[in-house]
Amino acid sequence: MKPEALVSLAIEAMKKAYAPYSGYQVGAALLCADGSVYQGCNIENASYTPTICAERTAFFKAVYDGKRDFVAIAVVGGKGGVLSGTFPPCGVCRQVMREFCDNAFQIYMGGPQGSFETHTLEELLPYSFSAKEHMK
Ligand code: THU
């Protein structure tokens, strides 16, 4: 699947966001090695800390379905669902990506009008702690 198509699926997912507190809507689309795609949105909570980000929603849906091999994720977000700049995944989500992905995992950070920037997980999370490398 082309990055552009994955970004489109992230934009579609953003429309499912439940963000009554921040008003910030985020969508993600996670491409698995078998070609399947898992979409996720952010889901907020009145108690704030239980809030989950779009990226982790997508990862946890996929892992529950038995997926463990991932190629890329597209993420988009903006206040009121308006994409104003490229979207950088939060640090917690980067660490969750690292749990299941190697450093070459691709992250498409979406922006206005279908634009996106591509980075590897290693670029976004250098010197990362990973179970595979540090807990053997
Ligand atoms: N959010 C995400 O969904 N992904 C990120 O990587 C950063 C932040 C959500 C969480 C919260 O619902 C809103 O954006 C504002 O932080």
Side-chain angles (χ1 to χ4, degrees):
M1 170 175 284
K2 288 196 173 148
E4 290 79 5
L6 205 60
V7 171
S8 292
L9 289 171
I11 293 168
E12 180 184 277
M14 184 180 70
K15 292 171 185 140
K16 302 268 180 74
Y18 175 74
Y21 306 106
S22 72
Y24 201 84
Q25 293 176 246
V26 186
L30 174 63
L31 177 62
C32 305
D34 66 4
S36 58
V37 174
Y38 284 80
Q39 291 166 289
C41 63
N42 55 329
I43 303 168
E44 298 188 344
N45 189 281
S47 189
Y48 297 134
T49 51
T51 292
I52 187 165
C53 292
E55 301 92 312
R56 279 177 289 141
T57 301
F59 263 92
F60 296 158
K61 281 171 66 184
V63 171
Y64 178 78
D65 274 355
K67 308 298 162 108
R68 292 285 173 87
D69 296 320
F70 304 105
V71 176
I73 193 167
V75 195
V76 298
K79 194 91 177 168
V82 178
L83 308 184
S84 51
T86 48
F87 186 90
C90 84
V92 171
C93 289
R94 294 178 196 199
Q95 184 62 34
V96 168
M97 292 173 197
R98 191 69 184 95
E99 184 67 23
F100 298 103
C101 306
D102 63 22
N103 276 318
F105 180 69
Q106 300 281 296
I107 298 155
Y108 309 130
M109 307 192 313
Q113 277 117 38
S115 63
F116 62 90
E117 267 180 46
T118 305
H119 290 283
T120 62
L121 182 54
E122 186 167 30
E123 286 167 341
L124 295 192
L125 192 69
Y127 304 104
S128 62
F129 181 80
S130 108
K132 279 185 201 133
E133 283 166 42
H134 302 108
M135 294 178 72
K136 52 187 176 192

